């Protein structure tokens, strides 16, 4: 045991003591903070942020179709085509006129779509140098297919005018947990029943949709919303070094559909589009032509992934109660802050600390007084404490002498 220390000192128990500090400045600070916290709970959490609602993220899906606009298409009118006498793109290629069946493959993708912008086709045949077994079947071989001719190996072309193609959207959502509990059609709707809008990558509204059966949006509008130009250089490093455009290398877009609704209010949806930077997209297809030939089609284009988010909400008393209890816990911050100011900042902090903290006598002394029924001699009243703070040194010495005489009588 350390010198001058006892177990009572080491194992001292700090308990709460209530002191009424008559200081209008401290009281004003505390009540002002409590008023601000209460206004935050009621004004922001409950009213503005609608903390009384229970919300879930709905599940969604979408049906897509692509269509070429009617009319004649002239490759010579497009700046990225070699048919144009003055192409202004870094990597022009011959252009071919296509329709939706040529560029939208495969069509059975779930919540995604791929629109081809460039083709590279190669006709291949079986390598005649590969060995055959005794039955005339192909045997071991390191390169089973070879190009039919060298010029055919680099047959590249752009699909002309794909930006003018239109996409028809038919989306729907279901807040499954709420729907299973209530079987209320509000929690399971089609976009045809709602109003919607399209925002660009800056959050600005550029078009309105909905309430007409389906939404029809051109690919050019989607690219504009994402801030993408197919004729600009691709930022994927290898493609950028070779000065390949987005049309040549391909791009990846995320098409967000956010549903927002509170029960008994109309559900609305918002389209938003963003590009995944420094990413190209390609798909390679192999098609057999007869028994000894195949066609390899290497395609690049615009890949669009559709993602669903948002919140569908309803009133829930338990949710509101949890929000209020959590907010009321902030009221303790007002008390802690005021205590800190009182003990460390205020001019009268030394006096306030003396009022706030008091040490009892050691256990053995208190026990001795208890057994002799002398606890009434303890100076524990508030009046005595107040008096001790303002007494001068002479008065404190006189009280100390009186206590010593009293303890001597107890020992006798």
């Amino acid at each position: 045991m350390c010198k001058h220390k006892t177990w009572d000192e080491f194992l001292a128990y700090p308990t709460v003591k209530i002191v009424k500090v008559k200081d209008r400045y401290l009281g004003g600070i505390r009540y002002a903070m409590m008023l601000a916290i209460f206004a935050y709970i009621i004004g922001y959490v409950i009213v503005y942020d609608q903390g009384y609602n229970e919300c879930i993220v709905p599940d969604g899906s979408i049906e897509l179709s692509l269509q070429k606009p009617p009319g004649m298409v002239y490759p010579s009118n497009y700046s990225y085509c070699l048919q144009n006498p003055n192409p202004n793109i870094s990597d022009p290629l011959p252009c071919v006129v296509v329709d939706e069946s040529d560029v939208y493959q495969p069509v059975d993708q779930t919540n995604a779509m791929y629109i081809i912008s460039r083709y590279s086709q190669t006709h291949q045949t079986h390598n005649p140098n590969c060995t055959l077994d005794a039955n005339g079947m192909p045997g071991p071989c390191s390169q089973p297919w070879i190009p039919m001719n060298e010029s055919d190996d680099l047959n590249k072309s752009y699909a002309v005018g794909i930006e003018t193609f239109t996409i028809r959207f038919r989306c729907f959502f279901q807040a499954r947990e709420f729907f299973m509990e209530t079987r209320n059609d509000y929690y399971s709707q089609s976009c045809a029943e709602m109003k919607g809008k399209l925002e660009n990558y800056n959050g600005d509204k550029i078009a309105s949709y909905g309430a007409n059966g389906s939404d029809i949006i051109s690919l050019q509008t989607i690219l504009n919303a994402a801030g993408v130009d197919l004729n600009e250089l691709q930022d994927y490093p290898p493609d950028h070094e070779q000065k390949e455009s987005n049309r040549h290398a391909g791009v990846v877009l995320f098409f967000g559909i956010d549903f927002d609704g509170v029960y008994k209010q109309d559900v609305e949806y918002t389209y938003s589009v963003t590009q995944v930077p420094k990413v190209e997209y390609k798909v390679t297809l192999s098609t057999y032509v007869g028994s000894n030939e195949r066609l390899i089609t290497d395609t690049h284009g615009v890949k669009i992934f559709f993602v669903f988010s948002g919140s569908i909400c309803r009133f829930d008393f338990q949710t509101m109660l949890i929000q209020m209890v959590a907010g009321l816990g902030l009221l303790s911050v007002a008390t802690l802050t005021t205590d800190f100011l009182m003990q460390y900042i205020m001019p009268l902090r030394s006096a306030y600390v003396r009022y706030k903290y008091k040490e009892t006598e050691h256990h053995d002394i208190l026990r001795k007084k208890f057994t002799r029924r002398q606890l009434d001699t303890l100076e524990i009243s508030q009046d005595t404490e107040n008096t001790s703070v303002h007494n001068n040194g002479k008065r404190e010495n006189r009280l100390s002498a009186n206590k010593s005489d009293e303890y001597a009588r107890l020992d006798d």
Side-chain angles (χ1 to χ4, degrees), residues 113-150:
M113 99 180 309
Y114 175 50
I115 303 175
I116 298 171
S117 62
R118 176 176 72 86
Y119 296 90
S120 177
Q121 295 181 323
T122 304
H123 287 86
Q124 296 181 339
T125 185
H126 278 295
N127 189 348
N129 296 323
C130 291
T131 59
L132 301 178
D133 59 19
N135 298 320
M137 302 297 292
C141 188
S142 62
Q143 185 178 356
W145 297 91
I146 59 174
M148 295 183 64
N149 55 70
E150 293 298 330

Side-chain angles (χ1 to χ4, degrees), residues 167-236:
I167 306 171
R168 185 180 64 180
F169 296 79
R170 288 182 178 176
C171 58
F172 49 90
F173 81 90
Q174 185 175 99
R176 185 167 179 78
E177 179 181 342
F178 294 166
F179 182 76
M180 295 298 291
E181 290 179 5
T182 64
R183 297 294 178 178
N184 191 325
D185 290 345
Y186 178 86
Y187 302 118
S188 183
Q189 298 186 41
S190 167
C191 291
E193 307 171 50
M194 299 175 271
K195 292 183 179 180
K197 61 182 178 180
L198 172 64
E199 294 181 349
N200 62 16
Y201 58 95
N202 290 323
D204 301 322
K205 177 181 176 181
I206 60 177
S208 298
Y209 300 101
N212 62 351
S214 60
D215 300 336
I216 299 177
I217 309 176
S218 69
L219 178 59
Q220 184 64 67
T221 301
I222 295 175
L223 293 171
N224 291 341
V228 175
D229 185 348
L230 291 183
N231 291 333
E232 289 183 351
L233 290 180
Q234 164 67 255
D235 56 3
Y236 179 59

